[in-house]
Amino acid sequence: MPPIRYGRVGRLRLGGLRWRLAAWVAGVLIASAAIIFLVVYNSTDSQLNGQVNRDVTGDTNQLAQALGEHRNGTPEQIADAASRYLRAQPFGATSTLMFVIVGGAATASNHPEVFGASRPDHGESAAEQATENVEGRRLLIPRIGLSTQNVPDVGAVRINERSVMLGPTRAIVGAGEPLAVIDRAEHTITRAFVLAGAAALVIALLASYLAGARVSAPLRRMAATASRVDAGDLEPRMTIPAGRSDEVRVLADAFNHMLDRLSTAFERQREFVADASHELRTPITVIRGQLEVLAAQRDPPAAEVRRVQQLVEAEIARTTRLIDDLLVLAQADRTGFLRIEPVDVRPFLEELWDGLSLTAERRFELGLLPNGTLRADPDRLAQALRNLARNAIEHTRPSTGLVRLEVDRAGAARLSFAVIDDGPGIPPEEREPIFERFHRTDPARSRDRGGAGLGLAIVLAIASAHGGSVRAGEGRSGRGARVELTLPGFTPA
Ligand SMILES: Nc1ncnc2c1ncn2[C@@H]1O[C@H](COP(=O)(O)OP(=O)(O)OP(=O)(O)O)[C@@H](O)[C@H]1O
Ligand SMILES: [Mg+2]
């Protein structure tokens, strides 16, 4: 058996619980906020882009329609008409860039500066203006359909271009909208998410830390109590504020219940050891006393030596039995205590009772025996029945006293063994405590007649190990005692 070590249990690191909870909440919050952000961002982006595409396509169509009225003009006339039309819708007012490139003639636009050859403005350097001019000229290369292009001073612009035939003249009409609007919307969404997310994160961290602290507070108290118990003090109990009916309460109740049982078990263990020591010391004291008496006589008569020898032998026999009983009780809780085998009930009991009837002068009776086998440990069963019979013998008158064994079916596969006598019986209030170790109904009873008070405790241990039970009652017609052992595992023949 491993040695029991007393000492402090590893301290529970419950402080980590609060932080872990907070970290988990933060992680979940960040992940879900990121998912929501991506969904919102993407759907807003595609919605705004779709809107811009529809707008520029509509503007292009409108422009083409307006030029359609001049299909019979020369390229110069068409370019003129386009210029007039576009001048009426300046870029500054509509934020829509519109241009017409008439084959063989000029380019008209409601924002002429963007098509190159402008002078530096907005405080730009000549080199910057040159780059812008290159970009502006690039706009003149027709790109039919939707495209995104960088427009000087405006930035990224979604442009739709289409080619229209105005009589013999081919013209490219285009309309564009700056994408800065979309950028601004997306920027706003991002900022809102970051701000709201950060605020929510702080609140969630705080809330989950506090919640973790609240949840772990009783656990920390329990850990403190457990440490005290571990240090050897079985007195402390968990205190839980009244009204709590959650898992913590269940845990605390279970813990307290366990401590109660531990305390009781320790107390019983202590009593057992004290009783056992006392019982063992008594015969030793007797032996020593007798030997001292003998030693005090210089030349003790042979009869005196013989008397002391007999007494010492009797005390040694009693002590040996006591030690055997203690060993049986110590083994009873262990696995392997029983060697179960099929016991043929009838011959087993007949032999046992015949043997017992030779040990004392009583009226031994054996009731009708059932035929069949019982799965039990024959040695332990015999020991239990012998203890019951010995008690009956001890409490009955010599010669006339009745010691009877009745064996009956008790339910499906159970067999009951009742040892009945016609002695003084067992008082009702004693019928339970007699099964406790070292319990005697009459503590003052002389040691010569009684034993240590372990006999019935052993019967109970053997019954329990078999999954059976034992109880005491009154004998026949209200007289004497009846102690009944019931075991499972009977198969009738
Ligand atoms: N048949 C009985 N009639 C009356 N009292 C009984 C009977 N059997 C047991 N008792 C009482 O129950 C007590 C406990 O019995 P138990 O057999 O456990 O101990 P014991 O007989 O005193 O000692 P041990 O059996 O260890 O020699 C006894 O002290 C006795 O007073
Ligand atoms: Mg006994």
Side-chain angles (χ1 to χ4, degrees):
M1 204 164 73
I4 301 170
R5 284 188 294 126
Y6 294 97
R8 293 179 75 76
V9 270
R11 282 189 70 77
L12 292 174
R13 296 180 59 204
L14 289 167
L17 185 69
R18 286 165 282 176
W19 288 113
R20 274 209 301 282
L21 185 65
W24 270 101
V25 170
V28 170
L29 192 78
I30 289 172
S32 37
I35 292 170
I36 296 172
F37 172 74
L38 282 177
V39 169
V40 170
Y41 188 93
N42 280 335
S43 73
T44 311
D45 186 65
S46 65
Q47 215 174 5
L48 291 176
N49 269 306
Q51 185 61 46
V52 167
N53 291 350
R54 278 193 298 282
D55 284 356
V56 291
T57 311
D59 291 340
T60 317
N61 291 344
Q62 226 174 349
L63 183 54
Q65 211 173 7
L67 287 186
E69 292 167 12
H70 306 278
R71 68 178 70 245
N72 298 322
T74 61
E76 286 77 16
Q77 286 170 331
I78 293 171
D80 249 17
S83 288
R84 268 195 318 272
Y85 178 82
L86 292 179
R87 225 174 290 133
Q89 307 183 46
F91 175 75
T94 58
S95 283
T96 303
L97 178 73
M98 284 189 269
F99 57 90
V100 178
I101 305 166
V102 185
T107 301
S109 165
N110 66 346
H111 191 11
E113 304 91 82
V114 302
F115 289 94
S118 308
R119 278 192 301 277
D121 51 7
H122 309 119
E124 293 154 333
S125 68
E128 281 166 347
Q129 186 60 52
T131 318
E132 287 188 0
N133 288 348
V134 170
E135 284 179 345
R137 273 196 297 280
R138 219 181 275 147
L139 286 175
L140 295 174
I141 306 165
R143 285 184 187 78
I144 304 302
L146 284 164
S147 65
T148 304
Q149 294 175 48
N150 207 25
V151 174
D153 292 334
V154 179
V157 175
R158 175 70 38 79
I159 290 177
N160 182 44
E161 291 180 32
R162 66 178 272 209
S163 152
V164 275
M165 288 306 291
L166 303 166
T169 312
R170 171 188 290 277
I172 305 288
V173 297
E177 285 201 8
L179 292 180
V181 190
I182 296 180
D183 285 350
R184 268 202 300 280
E186 287 173 353
H187 187 73
T188 310
I189 291 175
T190 309
R191 208 180 44 199
F193 257 91
V194 168
L195 285 178
L201 192 65
V202 170
I203 292 169
L205 272 174
L206 202 68
S208 50
Y209 181 85
L210 292 177
R214 200 177 138 73
V215 167
S216 64
L219 296 182
R220 270 176 283 135
R221 279 204 302 277
M222 282 185 199
T225 310
S227 297
R228 282 175 60 196
V229 171
D230 185 52
D233 178 8
L234 285 179
E235 283 308 307
R237 294 288 182 273
M238 306 278 176
T239 46
I240 296 294
R244 276 193 87 133
S245 59
D246 52 11
E247 293 84 348
V248 173
R249 152 124 264 146
V250 175
L251 181 62
D253 284 346
F255 189 86
N256 286 343
H257 185 65
M258 180 190 76
L259 282 180
D260 288 345
R261 282 171 47 98
L262 264 183
S263 301
T264 314
F266 273 140
E267 192 46 45
R268 285 182 53 188
Q269 193 78 11
R270 247 198 301 272
E271 280 171 12
F272 180 64
V273 171
D275 287 343
S277 314
H278 178 74
E279 291 296 330
L280 286 171
R281 200 170 41 210
T282 313
I284 290 173
T285 313
V286 171
I287 290 172
R288 192 168 52 198
Q290 292 298 323
L291 289 179
E292 278 171 2
V293 168
L294 205 58
Q297 303 172 33
R298 191 188 274 168
D299 198 5
E304 175 68 354
V305 173
R306 181 118 198 91
R307 187 191 66 80
V308 171
Q309 182 205 345
Q310 278 170 354
L311 210 139
V312 167
E313 275 172 0
E315 289 299 332
I316 287 174
R318 185 197 296 276
T319 312
T320 310
R321 223 193 91 203
L322 178 64
I323 291 171
D324 288 346
D325 285 354
L326 287 174
L327 281 177
V328 170
L329 285 172
Q331 289 165 359
D333 297 335
R334 299 223 191 136
T335 47
F337 172 59
L338 298 180
R339 292 217 174 91
I340 300 280
E341 56 183 76
V343 177
D344 197 348
V345 175
R346 208 180 240 273
F348 170 79
L349 290 176
E350 278 167 354
E351 195 183 321
L352 178 84
W353 213 245
D354 281 351
L356 272 167
S357 59
L358 298 177
T359 61
E361 235 186 88
R362 297 289 187 281
R363 248 184 327 123
F364 279 91
E365 285 183 16
L366 187 56
L368 282 177
L369 295 178
N371 271 322
T373 51
L374 179 73
R375 287 195 56 76
D377 181 332
D379 294 339
R380 296 300 178 203
L381 176 57
Q383 184 179 17
L385 293 178
R386 252 187 250 119
N387 281 1
L388 296 183
R390 208 180 292 134
N391 281 352
I393 293 168
E394 277 169 14
H395 292 90
T396 45
R397 282 187 305 278
S399 306
T400 55
L402 172 74
V403 178
R404 181 180 167 82
L405 174 65
E406 284 181 4
V407 183
D408 277 306
R409 302 278 304 273
R414 297 173 85 84
L415 214 51
S416 79
F417 306 81
V419 175
I420 299 160
D421 66 49
D422 60 355
I426 306 164
E429 69 279 6
E430 288 288 344
R431 287 175 191 166
E432 280 211 11
I434 50 169
F435 293 100
E436 286 168 14
R437 296 165 181 196
F438 296 112
H439 184 90
R440 298 161 172 142
T441 47
D442 178 9
R445 193 165 50 109
S446 92
R447 285 180 62 253
D448 300 339
R449 268 197 64 208
L454 291 177
L456 288 179
I458 289 174
V459 176
L460 174 61
I462 291 172
S464 305
H466 278 91
S469 60
V470 59
R471 65 190 182 90
E474 61 189 24
R476 288 164 150 191
S477 48
R479 285 189 57 225
R482 172 193 172 96
V483 185
E484 185 177 294
L485 168 70
T486 307
L487 298 187
F490 178 66
T491 316

